Amino acid sequence: MTIGIRFSTRSDVGLVRANNQDSAFAGEQLLLVADGMGGHAGGEVASALCVASMAPLNNETFSTSDMLERLGDAVERARIDLVQQARSHITLSGMGTTVTALLLCENKLAMAHMGDSRGYLLRDGQLTQVTKDHTFVQHLVDTGKITPEEAETHPQRSVVMRVLGDFELDLIPDLSIREARPGDRWLLCSDGLSGFVRFETLEQTLRDVADIELCSEYLIQLALRGGGSDNITCIVADVVELDDDATNVIPTQSGPERKQAIATAVGSVALGDDVPVMIDQASTLSDSSKLLVGANERVNTVIAQAIARKSGEPISEPQPQTGSLVLPAQSNDETSQDSASGPASSVAPINDDDEEVLAAISSGAAAEPKRRSFWRGLVNTCLSLLLLGGLGYGAYYWGSQQYFVGVHDGKIAIFNGFPQSVGPVHLSSVIESSVLDPDDLDPYMSRQIYSTIRATSLNDARARIEHFGTEIADQAKQDKLAEQEKAQEDAQQEDPDSSDNATDISVTPNETETPSTDPTETPSPDVTDPAS
């Protein structure tokens, strides 16, 4: 059985915003929604760069064993791209974007999520929100300070605590893997849809409108009728079973069948209507416009490769971007030029013929300035030492409040300080060690722990280790259950009659068994009783 996805994607600028800061990509392997933020032009550039960085994953080859790691690496490459561009263009500093993505391989779906864009799953007529919002309001709900109903109207419901962008914090996405079951319908959307359309309305629309093109269009219209004060983007995708000779034809509720797009992009990465206007008015492209045009070209290349691969044309395997983030060193050319033409060059030279000047320099008249210079230097030195001492104490105190999770002696542990060393001196120390082995986690999370994960506090670090312990325990239970099932299968193969005999013994009444004398037991009614 071959599993595939049929998709429809829409994006609308809404009724209030002047530009579309959302971007989305949909292909036969990858579904992705990004909602940008960061002021004028920053949001649309951030979402476009994220989609352009991750879109090549749609054409890459991978297995179910490494698909989650590959998706996590794609998110990290997108983060590096955003950081590099933000530091190269000061006007884009601080930009960021949410990201919610699904990656298909065989009968599995890997998901990556950061921010308040959402992923929903409609299965057997029941809608479930799969993702969890990384917002301040969701934190209040999790801690029991407000109810989910109060969260819907909370004044700070748009405050996002975890996004992909130009930030110093080590923020990692939520990564999960699940079964791709034929008949499932997925919805990925920005908060411009989920924030204006009630959950019950989403469920009814996804369940009742079978045509995915009509369904995505109805969802956009519902958000506009609900206020439409934000950009609105959604992807509706059906998990289907494909035949070996399947074609890209989508059944419709009415009218002729239409072909499914191989891959498509919408939003700012697709060069919305506002970008050409910016280009025409400026005559020369601004930095943000250049980045948008470049992102659009990269996505169009991915789409062209997907179409070529579908038609059987040979294409080269996309090479994933690797390497660490290295910032260029600051140039000192301007500093050298300033020094050459500084105040010293404007001082008039001393005339050797001026005997009074020469006498003053050689006599004790110059001794008083020298003494004043000595005391001034001593005071400055003391002040400098006091300042350095204060800075050192401040750095020590700040470092004592820093925590991260890492590996010590092969076990997951909590460290206090900084995950760096200065020569032989380590800037951190182990304060708590667990019995958890990082290698028992999935490869991607294990690699993150070996690279260290920052924590906001000691309690946050403990909570992370507790979460890792839960994941390891769940995995151990699954492994044990799988071993038991395999042992039973092996036993049945060795003695096929044993299971039948066991069954016969279990259903044969024991002649020596005495009836239960429990007074609380209610006898079963006689099946021959006419009153029953």
Side-chain angles (χ1 to χ4, degrees):
M1 180 177 64
T2 303
I3 300 296
I5 49 178
R6 305 295 193 191
F7 56 84
S8 173
T9 180
R10 293 279 193 281
S11 186
D12 194 283
V13 70
L15 303 177
V16 176
R17 299 287 182 88
N19 58 338
N20 194 348
Q21 297 188 355
D22 290 354
S23 291
F25 175 88
E28 295 186 334
Q29 290 186 166
L30 178 68
L31 305 175
L32 168 63
V33 169
D35 181 0
M37 61 201 69
H40 179 68
E44 58 187 356
V45 172
S47 66
L49 290 177
C50 175
V51 169
S53 295
M54 296 184 63
L57 198 60
N58 183 73
N59 298 333
E60 295 180 9
T61 303
F62 39 81
S63 64
T64 55
S65 61
D66 67 348
M67 62 186 299
L68 193 64
E69 182 177 1
R70 295 284 289 275
L71 182 59
D73 290 344
V75 175
E76 178 64 13
R77 290 198 303 270
R79 184 191 73 84
I80 291 175
D81 194 8
L82 261 66
V83 171
Q84 289 177 330
Q85 297 299 340
R87 296 184 180 182
S88 299
H89 306 86
I90 189 63
T91 57
L92 301 178
S93 178
M95 67 176 176
T97 181
T98 69
V99 55
T100 302
L102 279 175
L103 183 65
L104 174 68
C105 180
E106 298 177 7
N107 65 335
K108 300 295 182 182
L109 280 169
M111 170 172 273
H113 170 68
M114 291 183 72
D116 60 352
S117 295
R118 289 184 178 179
Y120 295 91
L121 171 61
L122 182 73
R123 173 173 290 176
D124 300 328
Q126 299 294 323
L127 186 65
T128 304
Q129 181 180 332
V130 178
T131 58
K132 182 177 181 180
D133 294 346
H134 299 141
T135 59
F136 175 69
V137 168
Q138 184 62 47
H139 171 71
L140 295 179
V141 173
D142 294 340
T143 55
K145 296 181 179 179
I146 63 174
T147 64
E149 292 74 19
E150 293 172 333
E152 294 180 358
T153 57
H154 196 280
Q156 294 179 315
R157 61 185 179 275
S158 298
V159 178
V160 185
M161 300 178 65
R162 195 196 307 182
V163 294
L164 194 71
D166 176 28
F167 307 107
E168 296 295 337
L169 300 177
D170 280 336
L171 302 177
I172 60 176
D174 292 340
L175 295 172
S176 60
I177 190 168
R178 60 193 70 244
E179 179 187 4
R181 183 182 301 179
D184 287 350
R185 170 167 285 188
W186 285 86
L187 169 65
L188 304 185
C189 65
S190 63
D191 63 336
L193 174 62
S194 59
F196 293 88
V197 181
R198 295 183 60 83
F199 179 87
E200 296 77 12
T201 305
L202 291 175
E203 182 178 46
Q204 181 180 1
T205 305
L206 291 168
R207 182 180 59 243
D208 296 346
V209 183
D211 188 326
I212 56 176
E213 293 288 347
L214 289 177
C215 186
S216 62
E217 181 60 32
Y218 285 169
L219 292 174
I220 296 293
Q221 294 302 321
L222 286 170
L224 292 173
R225 293 179 183 180
S229 60
D230 199 355
N231 305 142
I232 312 160
T233 300
C234 69
I235 299 176
V236 179
D238 289 340
V239 180
V240 297
E241 182 178 351
L242 300 177
D243 298 328
D244 293 337
D245 58 347
T247 57
N248 294 330
V249 176
I250 304 177
T252 60
Q253 290 179 328
S254 61
E257 295 180 334
R258 60 175 174 269
K259 287 189 175 182
Q260 161 81 54
I262 304 299
T264 185
V266 296
S268 63
V269 74
L271 288 180
D273 295 337
D274 54 318
V275 176
V277 173
M278 292 169 54
I279 296 175
D280 292 340
Q281 291 178 349
S283 70
T284 58
L285 294 177
S286 63
D287 290 340
S288 59
S289 296
K290 291 178 182 178
L291 292 175
L292 286 173
V293 171
N296 174 255
E297 292 175 349
R298 292 158 61 187
V299 170
N300 285 341
T301 300
V302 172
I303 295 175
Q305 290 176 342
I307 296 173
R309 185 177 65 173
K310 189 68 176 181
S311 61
E313 299 178 12
I315 62 172
S316 58
E317 181 72 14
Q319 297 296 324
Q321 301 175 12
T322 58
S324 60
L325 177 59
V326 179
L327 299 178
Q330 184 178 0
S331 173
N332 295 324
D333 293 343
E334 295 182 0
T335 305
S336 301
Q337 293 176 0
D338 292 341
S339 299
S341 58
S345 60
S346 61
V347 178
I350 297 176
N351 187 356
D352 293 338
D353 295 335
D354 193 337
E355 297 179 358
E356 293 181 0
V357 174
L358 293 175
I361 293 176
S362 58
S363 67
E368 184 62 23
K370 289 182 181 179
R371 285 193 293 269
R372 288 198 299 266
S373 298
F374 169 78
W375 290 108
R376 185 182 298 112
L378 180 61
V379 171
N380 290 339
T381 301
C382 293
L383 291 175
S384 298
L385 292 175
L386 290 174
L387 179 61
L388 290 174
L391 292 175
Y393 176 77
Y396 169 78
Y397 177 78
W398 183 62
S400 66
Q401 307 300 313
Q402 306 302 305
Y403 300 92
F404 64 91
V405 177
V407 178
H408 177 69
D409 291 338
K411 303 297 180 182
I412 302 178
I414 300 177
F415 294 77
N416 177 226
F418 307 98
Q420 288 92 21
S421 300
V422 179
V425 180
H426 296 283
L427 302 183
S428 62
S429 60
V430 178
I431 58 174
E432 290 184 12
S433 184
S434 71
V435 297
L436 303 178
D437 189 341
D439 294 331
D440 291 337
L441 293 164
D442 63 81
Y444 179 82
M445 187 57 66
S446 175
R447 188 179 64 182
Q448 291 290 328
I449 296 176
Y450 275 107
S451 300
T452 71
I453 299 175
R454 292 185 185 180
T456 57
S457 64
L458 179 59
N459 289 334
D460 180 44
R462 289 170 175 168
R464 289 174 182 265
I465 289 185
E466 182 179 356
H467 174 69
F468 295 147
T470 302
E471 288 191 355
I472 293 175
D474 292 343
Q475 184 62 40
K477 291 179 181 178
Q478 295 178 5
D479 294 342
K480 184 177 181 181
L481 181 60
E483 290 178 359
Q484 292 176 352
E485 292 177 352
K486 187 176 184 304
Q488 292 177 359
E489 292 177 357
D490 294 342
Q492 291 177 0
Q493 291 177 358
E494 293 176 359
D495 188 3
D497 297 332
S498 62
S499 59
D500 296 337
N501 297 334
T503 304
D504 294 339
I505 294 173
S506 64
V507 299
T508 303
N510 190 345
E511 295 179 356
T512 64
E513 183 179 358
T514 59
S516 172
T517 59
D518 186 357
T520 62
E521 181 177 353
T522 303
S524 302
D526 191 347
V527 297
T528 61
D529 188 357
S532 61

